[in-house]
Amino acid sequence: MDEVEVVVAHSERATLRVGDVFLKVDADQARIDVEVEVMALAPVPTPKVLWRKPPVLAIAALPGTTLGRLGGPSTGSPAGWAAAGAAIRKLHEAPLPSRTGRAGRSIAALTAELDDECESLVTNGVLPADLVTRNRQVAEAALRPWAPAFTHGDLQIAHVFVDGDEVTGIIDWSEAGQGDALYDLATFTLGHEEHLYDVMVGYGSAIDLDVVHAWWSLRSLLAVRWLIDHGFDPFAPGC
């Protein structure tokens, strides 16, 4: 063991890689409980749970590499992105878990959160008012009825491992549950929009691009202040 790699770290949680083991430290034990439960249900490769000692969950390292990381460029090939699309489709078609996930928030709750956040972004000068207004208009298309799917809920590219054109595992399931499938697809491609077509090839089903674009705008509006508060640059490539 030569070093400890910080995979993700902020004030709520951190993931470290130590040799062949990932150590997840989470201030909210309920998130760890959900993660272990949902990984057992997911029909896609997930890491093996080695041990649990709150607030730490130890899981086996996955072979391969991620398609990229938050705030950085994508390192994955088109074949890797397509393979990820196929795995996401398999997840979305699986029997539904009992709980509602991050992607399953109600239209009313999302609308209220979005309106409050847009007001705050403008009032505090975080973003120009015209930029907020335009993206709020685009985001409206995501606020519609949807058929529930088995969703990951936080499917950023740093959570998907591939080896060539094979998905070797998906990590970080604490936000998983019933939700809007297009939320996952938008989360996965946000910041790497040039790979949406590759994902669509692997997903193999018609995707409403207006809704994906809407989720890009909605997630961006809701994420800007969080990213700043947790030490990320929201305007960096990949954010």
Side-chain angles (χ1 to χ4, degrees):
M1 183 187 317
D2 296 323
E3 61 182 15
V4 175
E5 177 189 356
V6 179
V7 180
V8 177
H10 49 76
S11 61
E12 294 179 3
R13 66 187 87 169
T15 300
L16 312 175
R17 181 168 185 169
V18 186
D20 291 331
V21 178
F22 280 102
L23 299 175
K24 297 196 63 179
V25 184
D26 199 315
D28 184 349
Q29 181 59 34
R31 284 195 291 247
I32 295 293
D33 294 339
V34 168
E35 181 159 2
V36 173
E37 175 187 344
V38 175
M39 281 198 299
L41 300 174
V44 294
T46 59
K48 179 182 179 181
V49 175
L50 300 176
W51 50 264
R52 298 173 64 187
K53 186 175 181 180
V56 182
L57 170 68
I59 58 177
L62 294 167
T65 58
T66 64
L67 288 167
R69 62 185 305 166
L70 182 65
S74 166
T75 54
S77 67
W81 282 88
I88 296 168
R89 174 71 180 274
K90 186 175 182 180
L91 174 67
H92 289 167
E93 293 182 336
L96 296 174
S98 59
R99 69 184 303 273
T100 299
R102 179 74 174 169
R105 287 168 292 172
S106 71
I107 295 174
L110 271 173
T111 300
E113 182 181 1
L114 183 59
D115 288 343
D116 289 345
E117 191 65 23
C118 287
E119 181 180 357
S120 177
L121 291 172
V122 174
T123 300
N124 294 298
V126 178
L127 293 175
D130 59 345
L131 181 63
V132 172
T133 298
R134 172 58 183 154
N135 278 275
R136 176 62 181 83
Q137 292 170 344
V138 173
E140 190 67 27
L143 304 174
R144 87 283 178 225
W146 40 265
F150 191 149
T151 55
H152 181 279
D154 189 20
L155 199 61
Q156 54 177 287
I157 59 171
H159 295 162
V160 179
F161 285 73
V162 297
D163 185 1
D165 60 355
E166 178 185 359
V167 174
T168 58
I170 300 176
I171 63 172
D172 282 3
W173 292 83
S174 60
E175 306 287 355
Q178 296 186 30
D180 179 1
L182 294 187
Y183 179 96
D184 270 355
L185 292 172
T187 301
F188 188 57
T189 53
L190 180 60
H192 300 280
E193 294 84 354
E194 70 278 9
H195 289 290
L196 176 58
Y197 176 76
D198 299 323
V199 173
M200 291 171 61
V201 169
Y203 196 77
S205 177
I207 294 172
D208 190 329
L209 294 180
D210 287 340
V211 176
V212 172
H213 296 161
W215 274 120
W216 284 346
S217 287
L218 195 155
R219 281 187 53 82
S220 295
L221 289 168
L222 294 183
V224 167
R225 285 198 307 129
W226 186 95
L227 288 167
I228 292 172
D229 291 345
H230 290 81
F232 296 100
D233 176 3
F235 308 107
C239 285

